[in-house]
Amino acid sequence: MENKEKFDIAILDSGLSVSHSMIKCDNIKGIHIYWDDCLQVDNDIEDTIGHGTAVYYIIKKENKEAKILIVKIFDHEYDVNTTLLINALKYINENYDCKLINLSNGVSFCDNIGELEDICKDITNNGTYIVAGFANNGSISYPAAFPSVIGVDISLRCKHIYEFEYVEGSVINIRACGITQRLPWIKNEIKRVSGTSFSCPYITSYIYQAFHTHKIINNDLNEYLKKNAKFVHKFEYKEMYDRMFEIHKAVVFPFNKEVHSIVKFSNLLNFNLIGVYDSKYLGNVGKSTGMLLQQEMPKNFIIEDINLLDWTSDFDTIIIGHTRELNSITDKNYQIDLFEKCLKYNKNIFAFDDMRNVIAKYNIGDIKVYTPMLERKNIVHNNMGKLYNIGVPILCVVGTSSKQGKYTIQLKLREAFLKQGYKVGGLGTEPSAELFGMDEVFPMGYDNTVFADGIDQIMAVNYKLHKIELKQPDIIITGSQSQTIAHDYSNLKYIALHQNNFLNAVNADGFILVCNYYDDLEYISRTIKYLNHFNNKDNIIAIAMFPVDEDLQWAYLTSDKNWVSRDEAEQKANVIKEAFHKDVYIIGNNDEKLFEACIAYFTAD
C-alpha cells in the first residue's frame, strides 16, 4: 500500500485566515478541493467566509501538539454540495491517514444518501473517526446521522463548553454546549458565534485527547464518552412492526368502500385476486362489480355469497375488510367466523381491522395473520425532535371531505407514473396500500389502526418517508383522509387532528386538492390557503372535482351515488377555475390530464 501522509485531525471547512493575529501559522498544511466539471485540488486555503478559521482556532487551542490538515471545501458561500463533499472525503481517504475528521457542516436535504454513507463507512473502517455537527435548523442532517459518524447536537442542559451528554439508540451521539463564543473570523475580526458548528470541534478535541493523552483504544471510546458525559440519555427500545407476508391467490370480503379499490385496480396488486364475496343481506350477491361501481375495470367479478365460499379451493389468503358495521347489521362476528374457517382450512388472513383480541383466544398454528397498524412502541423517541428533510419530490392528494375518490386518484397516478418508467415510492393511508406494492402504510382512515397520537404520528410518518427516500424513487405519492381543515368547531369529529399531523409530517412539494360538486367556494378557499403554507409557496398542482351531489347520503356499505350531469359538472368546474385560477378536472373524465399536470409541475424550472 502506498504510504500516506499522517495527520491527527483533518478539518473540512472554509479554509483558514492564515494572516489572522490569533492564528499561529507555523507549519500549516492545507489543500483546497473544489469542483469544476471534475474534482480539482490546489493549495489555496485562504478563508473567505470565516467559519473554518473559527473551527481551526478551537481545535488548535485545545490540542496544540496536534498535526492538523486544513481542507478547504467552501469558497464564497457556506453551502454544502453533496457531490463535492463525497468526493472530498474520497480524496482524503485515498491520500491521507487521519485519526479524526472534523465536519462542522452537513446537508439536511441529501440527494445521494447512499453514496455519502458508503464513503463514511469506508473511512471509519480504515480507522478514522468522523465527528460531524447536526444542522442548526434542528433537522436530521448528514453525515452526522450516519451510524459510522459521531453526530453532535446542542443541549441547553450543558452550561460549560467542555460539558456534553451521551445519547443511546439515536442518530445523535453527543449533545454539547452551544453557548455563544468570541472566535477569530476573516479580516482579523473577532465574531460572536454559536451553534453546533462551534460545539463540534470541542468534541473532536475531546476525542483526540482521549486517544492521545488518556490512551483510550478505539473499542473503548463509546464507554469512555458515556462515562464522562454529564448526562446519559438511555436507549428507548423500539419494537419493529410486523411486515406483510407474501400472497399468491386471494379472495376478498366484504364488498364495501375500502375494498372497492382492490377490485377496481386488481391489475396493480402483487398477487392474483380470484374472488369477491359479500353478505347476502346487503343485496350485492350475484351482481357484477363493474355494474355496481359503474365503470370498466381490469377484471369484472360476480360477487358471491361468503357462506358459499369453497374453502378447499386453492387460494392462500382471505382479505377481510372492515366488518364493524356489517357485524352490527347482521348480528354476527365475521372476524371470529372467518378466523375459525381459516384455522380449519389453513388459510392466511390479511385484515383491515385489529384482530389481536380474536387471535389471543386461539392457537393459530401455521397460518399467518397480518393487520397494518402502528403503535407508540414502534416509534423512535430518542432523536430529540429531529425530523428528516426528504430529498425526493412528494405529491400528496388531499380533499374537502370523505368518500371523494382520493385513493383512486393516488392509484391512477401511481399506475401512470409506473407506465412511464418512473420509480414510484408510495405511502398509503388505506390499509390496502401494501397490497398494491406501496412501500409503507399509515392506516389512519376509517376504523384506523394507528395507536399513536400527536407528535408520535408526525415522527412515524416522517420516518416512513425517510425509509422510502432511501430506496431512491423519482417521486413519492401519498394522500390524506377525509377533509383537510374543519368545517366548524362544534364537535370533535369535525376537527382534522390526524390529517393535520399527517400533512405536517409529509410537508408535500405539491398537492392535488379534491373537492365536491357541492362545496362552497369559501371552504375551498380556506383549504387552499392552509395547503399553501407548506413549503411557503403556491403548491396546488390542480383541483379534481368529484361530480356527486350531497342530496343522497349514501351509506358506507353501499355503492350508490347521486351523480350530477356532465353539463352541471362542467359548469361548476368552470366556476371553481375562475375563482382560484387553477386547472379543474372532473374525476372520471380525462383523468390522464391530472398525470400530465403533475409532470408539468415537477419538471418546471
Side-chain angles (χ1 to χ4, degrees):
M1 178 184 291
E2 182 180 339
N3 289 331
K4 301 178 182 178
E5 188 173 0
K6 292 187 177 182
F7 289 90
D8 296 312
I9 304 170
I11 301 173
L12 272 69
D13 218 292
S14 61
L16 180 64
S17 182
V18 294
S19 61
H20 199 290
S21 60
M22 294 178 66
I23 302 299
K24 306 298 182 183
C25 294
D26 49 327
N27 299 319
I28 291 177
K29 171 71 176 183
I31 56 171
H32 174 211
I33 300 178
Y34 61 101
W35 192 268
D36 186 8
D37 292 328
C38 62
L39 197 71
Q40 304 285 336
V41 182
D42 62 33
N43 295 319
D44 177 19
I45 64 168
E46 184 62 31
D47 190 355
T48 59
I49 298 172
H51 193 275
T53 300
V55 170
Y56 171 85
Y57 174 80
I58 293 171
I59 290 177
K60 192 64 177 177
K61 173 174 67 75
E62 297 296 318
N63 311 281
K64 293 181 172 56
E65 74 289 350
K67 186 178 180 182
I68 298 175
L69 174 67
I70 301 295
V71 183
K72 178 181 175 181
I73 57 173
F74 308 111
D75 285 301
H76 301 290
E77 293 183 6
Y78 192 66
D79 184 19
V80 183
N81 178 287
T82 309
T83 300
L84 176 60
L85 180 57
I86 290 169
N87 284 281
L89 287 169
K90 287 181 178 178
Y91 184 88
I92 293 168
N93 193 37
E94 292 168 359
N95 293 279
Y96 299 100
D97 182 357
C98 304
K99 188 64 180 177
L100 286 158
I101 293 176
N102 185 93
L103 265 168
S104 290
N105 46 70
V107 288
S108 292
F109 290 92
C110 186
D111 53 9
N112 199 340
I113 295 175
E115 190 174 358
L116 181 56
E117 183 171 17
D118 286 344
I119 182 57
C120 289
K121 283 181 183 176
D122 288 344
I123 290 171
T124 301
N125 290 337
N126 287 340
T128 298
Y129 281 86
I130 301 174
V131 184
F134 278 96
N136 288 322
N137 65 6
S139 69
I140 291 175
S141 59
Y142 309 97
F146 295 143
S148 58
V149 174
I150 298 172
V152 180
D153 193 24
I154 293 298
S155 168
L156 297 178
R157 186 180 304 192
C158 297
K159 305 300 183 184
H160 193 279
I161 199 65
Y162 298 107
E163 292 178 345
F164 65 90
E165 301 170 8
Y166 187 88
V167 187
E168 296 179 344
S170 172
V171 295
I172 306 165
N173 302 103
I174 301 293
R175 302 184 77 207
C177 179
I179 60 173
T180 301
Q181 305 175 58
R182 297 179 72 254
L183 297 172
W185 214 248
I186 57 171
K187 299 178 181 179
N188 214 34
E189 294 176 353
I190 306 294
K191 190 170 182 178
R192 291 172 59 84
V193 293
S194 62
T196 53
S197 291
F198 311 107
S199 302
C200 184
Y202 281 97
I203 300 304
T204 297
S205 299
Y206 192 87
I207 294 172
Y208 169 75
Q209 290 164 15
F211 292 137
H212 183 75
T213 305
H214 302 289
K215 309 302 179 184
I216 300 299
I217 61 175
N218 290 3
N219 293 339
D220 296 333
L221 179 61
N222 282 328
E223 286 302 316
Y224 178 80
L225 292 172
K226 189 185 300 186
K227 179 182 177 182
N228 289 278
K230 179 178 181 180
F231 181 80
V232 176
H233 296 268
K234 296 295 184 181
F235 172 71
E236 290 193 26
Y237 176 71
K238 172 181 174 287
E239 184 176 308
M240 297 301 295
Y241 46 83
D242 294 336
R243 302 299 301 187
M244 188 182 87
F245 54 82
E246 188 173 3
I247 302 174
H248 299 284
K249 289 184 178 180
V251 298
V252 64
F253 165 88
F255 188 63
N256 55 20
K257 174 181 174 290
E258 276 70 30
V259 166
H260 292 171
S261 58
I262 296 176
V263 177
K264 286 191 291 186
F265 294 96
S266 60
N267 60 311
L268 296 180
L269 298 170
N270 290 333
F271 54 88
N272 186 17
L273 182 66
I274 64 172
V276 178
Y277 292 80
D278 208 346
S279 168
K280 62 183 179 181
Y281 301 108
L282 298 181
N284 293 327
V285 172
K287 298 177 181 177
S288 74
T289 54
M291 183 270 290
L292 288 172
L293 296 176
Q294 302 177 39
Q295 66 179 77
E296 293 184 6
M297 51 190 62
K299 186 175 181 180
N300 196 16
F301 295 88
I302 300 299
I303 299 174
E304 301 177 65
D305 185 352
I306 188 63
N307 293 324
L308 302 179
L309 171 59
D310 180 6
W311 288 90
T312 64
S313 58
D314 66 346
F315 70 93
D316 56 85
T317 302
I318 181 169
I319 300 166
I320 306 175
H322 295 302
T323 60
R324 177 169 57 86
E325 293 193 25
L326 181 58
N327 288 344
S328 177
I329 291 170
T330 60
D331 197 26
K332 296 182 68 173
N333 190 322
Y334 279 100
Q335 277 194 342
I336 292 177
D337 290 351
L338 296 175
F339 184 77
E340 289 178 344
K341 286 285 197 315
C342 289
L343 284 177
K344 181 177 178 179
Y345 294 98
N346 197 35
K347 304 296 184 182
N348 299 325
I349 299 172
F350 185 107
F352 288 10
D353 294 321
D354 185 3
M355 293 192 66
R356 287 177 296 183
N357 289 336
V358 176
I359 295 171
K361 300 175 183 178
Y362 298 85
N363 177 9
I364 68 172
D366 294 330
I367 76 166
K368 301 179 180 69
V369 182
Y370 173 72
T371 298
M373 67 173 63
L374 181 88
E375 298 181 89
R376 192 177 190 276
K377 65 183 181 181
N378 305 136
I379 303 167
V380 174
H381 288 94
N382 246 19
N383 288 347
M384 312 302 169
K386 291 185 179 296
L387 298 173
Y388 293 95
N389 284 320
I390 308 302
V392 176
I394 299 176
L395 166 61
C396 186
V397 181
V398 298
T400 56
S401 75
S402 62
K403 304 174 183 176
Q404 296 176 302
K406 293 184 287 294
Y407 194 45
T408 294
I409 289 175
Q410 292 170 60
L411 290 171
K412 285 186 175 181
L413 287 172
R414 178 178 176 84
E415 182 178 28
F417 273 101
L418 289 170
K419 282 184 177 178
Q420 291 295 318
Y422 290 96
K423 186 176 180 182
V424 182
L427 169 63
T429 55
E430 295 284 357
S432 62
E434 290 170 291
L435 299 174
F436 293 105
M438 294 189 195
D439 306 273
E440 296 288 334
V441 60
F442 185 74
M444 60 178 274
Y446 174 83
D447 273 0
N448 76 83
T449 49
V450 174
F451 304 109
D453 291 306
I455 60 173
D456 288 340
Q457 292 183 345
I458 295 173
M459 288 190 293
V461 171
N462 177 255
Y463 183 63
K464 286 176 179 291
L465 288 168
H466 171 63
K467 289 172 66 180
I468 299 172
E469 171 189 32
L470 293 177
K471 297 179 180 180
Q472 297 184 308
D474 298 306
I475 190 169
I476 298 173
I477 299 176
T478 188
S480 187
Q481 291 283 332
S482 191
Q483 79 271 23
T484 302
I485 59 173
H487 283 278
D488 62 56
Y489 294 87
S490 58
N491 192 292
L492 282 174
K493 68 182 180 181
Y494 301 139
I495 302 176
L497 293 175
H498 298 312
Q499 295 91 322
N500 185 59
N501 291 334
F502 179 81
L503 292 175
N504 275 294
V506 170
N507 193 25
D509 299 285
F511 293 96
I512 291 176
L513 173 60
V514 184
C515 70
N516 297 299
Y517 169 80
Y518 56 81
D519 285 337
D520 63 72
L521 296 182
E522 188 273 337
Y523 182 62
I524 297 174
S525 175
R526 286 200 292 126
T527 303
I528 290 174
K529 289 175 181 176
Y530 170 75
L531 293 171
N532 279 341
H533 92 270
F534 293 101
N535 286 306
N536 297 314
K537 64 177 183 178
D538 180 5
N539 51 25
I540 308 298
I541 300 171
I543 298 173
M545 190 188 75
F546 189 48
V548 169
D549 205 349
E550 66 176 337
D551 293 339
L552 179 62
Q553 296 299 317
W554 42 284
Y556 169 79
L557 293 171
T558 72
S559 307
D560 298 323
K561 300 180 182 70
N562 189 20
W563 299 96
V564 300
S565 69
R566 177 75 173 269
D567 287 344
E568 289 174 310
E570 289 181 348
Q571 288 175 13
K572 183 60 181 282
N574 286 330
V575 170
I576 297 172
K577 182 176 182 178
E578 290 179 8
F580 303 110
H581 308 290
K582 296 288 180 185
D583 288 333
V584 181
Y585 302 95
I586 301 169
I587 295 176
N589 180 27
N590 296 327
D591 290 337
E592 68 277 0
K593 291 193 176 295
L594 264 181
F595 170 71
E596 295 170 4
C598 293
I599 293 294
Y601 178 86
F602 285 109
T603 57
D605 291 336

